[in-house]
Amino acid sequence: AAVGAVCDAARDRLGLHRVEAATVTDNAASQRVLAKAGFERIGTAPGYLHINARWRDHHLFQRLLHDDPPAG
């Protein structure tokens, strides 16, 4: 519910077109949360963040919030 609320605020209050997220490759629980919130996996980033004294690969996800053209 929290991820959905953040996405709603990003669309409705901030006017964002997309939201992205990343998880370490072995974090299946967070990946399930993102999938349930409408995120799709778009790739893998090698050495994305330095965690626990080593560079960790991450799966990248995105959720498109609307198809409206940019303002202005």
Side-chain angles (χ1 to χ4, degrees):
V3 174
V6 167
C7 289
D8 290 345
R11 180 190 61 237
D12 299 338
R13 295 185 204 158
L14 301 175
L16 297 180
H17 169 68
R18 71 188 275 279
V19 175
E20 62 181 62
T23 70
V24 291
T25 56
D26 59 352
N27 190 340
S30 290
Q31 293 164 19
R32 281 192 301 275
V33 168
L34 292 172
K36 287 181 181 181
F39 282 74
E40 64 176 325
R41 186 172 150 193
I42 57 172
T44 300
Y48 187 72
L49 287 174
H50 196 258
I51 300 172
N52 293 331
R54 68 185 183 109
W55 289 102
R56 302 286 307 267
D57 297 348
H58 281 63
H59 290 316
L60 306 177
F61 298 83
Q62 74 173 7
R63 177 174 162 186
L64 298 181
L65 302 174
H66 63 78
D67 290 329
D68 300 333

